[in-house]
Amino acid sequence: MTAIALGVLIVSLDGTITAVANPVLVVDLGASLSGLQWITNIYLLAMAATLVLAGKLGDRFGRRSVFLSGIVGFGVASAGIALAHSVEMVIFSRLGQGVFGALIVTNALALLRSLFSEATLPKALAVFASLIGASSAAGPLIGGLLIEHTSWRWAFLINVPVAAISLAAGLFLLPTSKKIRSAKFDILGSIMLTGSLLAVTYGLIKAPESGWADWHVIGWLVGGILAGLFFVEIERRAPDPLVPLRLFADRSITLGVILTIISFFALVGSLFFILLFLQQINGDSPMTAGLHILPMSVANVAASSSCGWIIKRYGARPPLFVGMLLSAAGFMLFTTIEPHGSYLSLAIPFVVLGLGIGFVMTASVQAILGNADVADAGPAAGVHQTSLQVGGILGTAVLGAVMASVTAQKFHETLVDNNIPNSTADQISDEAVRAVAQGTAPTVTGDDPTTSHVLQSATEVAFMHGLHTTMWVGAIVSLIGVFVSIGIRRGRTTEVSTPLH
């Protein structure tokens, strides 16, 4: 457990550190909203496209070996980000982080599934989730401290010594896992899955800039959907499929995947803009922003650590139901926040949301891995982690599109209400208007202090209107998850195979 948690530590730390670093990247590297989305999405995309494949690689070459290889690669990719001097270099290194991160998290869960019995698995998953929640809580604080007092580059360079410690612990503590013999590798299925996710994600990211009716956007989305359908057909015929479709014959596994996507859609997409709000609108330093997020992370740890005995006694359905309900309530509370409010006004919704996410994340893992046989631990872990990344990709893309559209409309309305001259409004480019969704006010040549104040005020009004809208979307999506959770079975109806040691 210690060795596995240390390995995943660098992945969970990186997620929250990157979120805190986003506003600094805007200033230092000139990152646009699209660039920030790509820095987030390329990581999620790379993980989503390789997570299932990572599970299969673990089955073929040994989960321990693949897990440790991922740790080495993740450390190297993190060093690449720290040395980057352009947004493109950051995006490329984030791609590497995503690929190697997939090797880590998928095989970490597969190792847990194979090393713990059915009776002890819920407790193991709860402890695992608590440790990951604790590292996520440390991410904003460590990242904020490093960014504020050194440089954003150290927020990524810190992964290198952590990776070295994780590698040493894994080499000494992890037992060598058995290789599972398999038929011919499912190369075509891997290509189709990667192509489908790439096309859909690219289409979703381009839509806010080019418009949903643009034929390039439509082409990417349709192509991605067709590739996905082709992937399903390939898996039906493959002798040793990348994703055994028999997994989805279990209702709890299927609904667990749906709930994971729903949860991360709302969480990742919404937090992307909450962190921009804290630093761009609220004026918080990276360190202060990290302190604001701390209550959510602590609540996440509390919910995750208490979820194990709940699952063991009552099954995964109750914590999933309560978790989605709490998530919806948390997002609703966020629709009431305003700039420069008290710490408590933000802490309360963060705590409620953190409790909800903690319950959902721990129980959804149990719903998927706990209902899969040990022989399918690798693919099942890959499916779970893929659903996390797909949810995150959809969240940042779809809610990013909502944010861009709503803020642009509100910004123009506010300018009209304040009687800004047409000559001034015409100087504001479309790119500058899109930057309003980042909380960045446009500038025009020769503007007087009054005009500058109006532009800054209009930016704040438009951003907050967009933020509240995305929070309502998160609440509605979470409420849908409440009803989906009712279909989860109370527990397994079939016996689990003997654990592999």
Side-chain angles (χ1 to χ4, degrees):
M1 176 65 73
T2 302
I4 292 170
L6 280 173
V8 182
L9 175 67
I10 56 175
V11 181
S12 55
L13 270 177
D14 188 78
T16 48
I17 285 178
T18 302
V20 174
N22 274 339
V24 184
L25 295 178
V26 173
V27 176
D28 198 12
L29 299 181
S32 63
L33 177 62
S34 177
L36 290 182
Q37 285 182 300
W38 270 113
I39 289 172
T40 298
N41 283 329
I42 197 67
Y43 176 75
L44 297 174
L45 172 62
M47 289 195 77
T50 52
L51 279 163
V52 177
L53 177 61
K56 187 64 70 173
L57 290 173
D59 290 344
R60 179 174 286 254
F61 299 108
R63 292 162 185 166
R64 176 181 181 270
S65 299
V66 176
F67 174 76
L68 296 177
S69 299
I71 291 174
V72 173
F74 198 94
V76 172
S78 298
I81 297 177
L83 299 174
H85 293 284
S86 68
V87 175
E88 290 74 19
M89 290 179 67
V90 173
I91 292 173
F92 179 77
S93 297
R94 287 285 283 170
L95 172 67
Q97 278 190 323
V99 172
F100 291 111
L103 301 182
I104 295 172
V105 294
T106 300
N107 287 283
L109 284 170
L111 284 167
L112 282 179
R113 182 65 186 92
S114 62
L115 293 173
F116 289 87
S117 66
E118 181 184 8
T120 57
L121 183 62
K123 184 178 180 180
L125 292 174
V127 172
F128 178 79
S130 299
L131 292 171
I132 301 309
S135 62
S136 297
L141 294 176
I142 295 173
L145 182 65
L146 290 172
I147 292 168
E148 193 168 332
H149 295 287
T150 57
S151 166
W152 63 266
R153 300 180 187 280
W154 279 100
F156 295 96
L157 197 59
I158 193 176
N159 287 334
V160 177
V162 175
I165 296 171
S166 302
L167 177 63
L171 287 171
F172 283 100
L173 299 176
L174 281 178
T176 302
S177 56
K178 293 182 179 179
K179 302 175 183 179
I180 300 176
R181 293 183 179 179
S182 57
K184 186 178 180 181
F185 206 76
D186 187 10
I187 297 177
L188 185 57
S190 302
I191 294 173
M192 284 297 104
L193 178 61
T194 303
S196 175
L197 292 168
L198 175 63
V200 170
T201 303
Y202 186 76
L204 288 172
I205 293 174
K206 290 294 293 181
E209 298 178 19
S210 304
W212 291 94
D214 184 86
W215 69 272
H216 286 100
V217 172
I218 296 173
W220 281 105
L221 294 175
V222 172
I225 293 171
L226 291 176
L229 294 174
F230 189 32
F231 168 74
V232 173
E233 185 60 28
I234 290 171
E235 298 307 279
R236 289 179 57 192
R237 301 173 182 272
D240 185 29
L242 190 67
V243 179
L245 298 182
R246 62 179 176 272
L247 287 173
F248 299 99
D250 188 295
R251 185 183 72 207
S252 292
I253 292 178
T254 301
L255 295 181
V257 168
I258 294 172
L259 287 169
T260 303
I261 292 174
I262 287 174
S263 182
F264 254 56
F265 172 94
L267 177 66
V268 176
S270 300
L271 284 183
F272 182 86
F273 294 105
I274 291 176
L275 285 163
L276 285 176
F277 157 75
L278 289 172
Q279 296 182 70
Q280 301 290 80
I281 302 297
N282 218 39
D284 293 340
S285 67
M287 182 66 181
T288 305
L291 289 172
H292 273 300
I293 300 173
L294 184 60
M296 183 184 76
S297 301
V298 173
N300 185 297
V301 173
S304 299
S305 59
S306 64
C307 203
W309 71 267
I310 297 175
I311 292 173
K312 187 173 182 179
R313 186 166 183 177
Y314 302 106
R317 183 168 59 193
L320 283 171
F321 181 87
V322 173
M324 294 307 307
L325 201 60
L326 287 171
S327 296
F331 286 120
M332 289 180 187
L333 289 171
F334 271 119
T335 64
T336 66
I337 64 172
E338 296 295 338
H340 316 298
S342 66
Y343 187 87
L344 190 61
S345 67
L346 282 167
I348 292 174
F350 269 131
V351 167
V352 175
L353 181 60
L355 289 172
I357 296 300
F359 281 130
V360 173
M361 287 299 96
T362 307
S364 66
V365 175
Q366 174 64 29
I368 296 171
L369 284 182
N371 286 283
D373 289 326
V374 172
D376 290 330
V383 166
H384 173 263
Q385 290 298 312
T386 300
S387 62
L388 286 178
Q389 310 313 320
V390 168
I393 290 169
L394 291 173
T396 53
V398 174
L399 293 184
V402 171
M403 184 74 173
S405 175
V406 170
T407 53
Q409 182 180 356
K410 190 67 176 180
F411 181 74
H412 285 300
E413 290 177 359
T414 307
L415 292 185
V416 172
D417 292 340
N418 285 274
N419 299 314
I420 289 292
N422 291 333
S423 58
T424 301
D426 290 341
Q427 295 184 50
I428 303 174
S429 65
D430 291 339
E431 184 177 351
V433 173
R434 285 196 294 270
V436 172
Q438 297 174 239
T440 303
T443 57
V444 295
T445 57
D447 60 343
D448 54 60
T450 302
T451 302
S452 296
H453 176 74
V454 170
L455 291 176
Q456 183 65 47
S457 177
T459 297
E460 183 174 302
V461 170
F463 185 93
M464 293 308 300
H465 180 65
L467 179 66
H468 291 160
T469 302
T470 60
M471 294 301 107
W472 277 116
V473 174
I476 293 170
V477 170
S478 298
L479 285 175
I480 294 173
V482 172
F483 293 101
V484 173
S485 67
I486 298 174
I488 297 287
R489 287 201 312 269
R490 185 181 182 279
R492 283 206 67 175
T493 58
T494 58
E495 293 296 323
V496 180
S497 304
T498 303
L500 300 177
H501 293 286

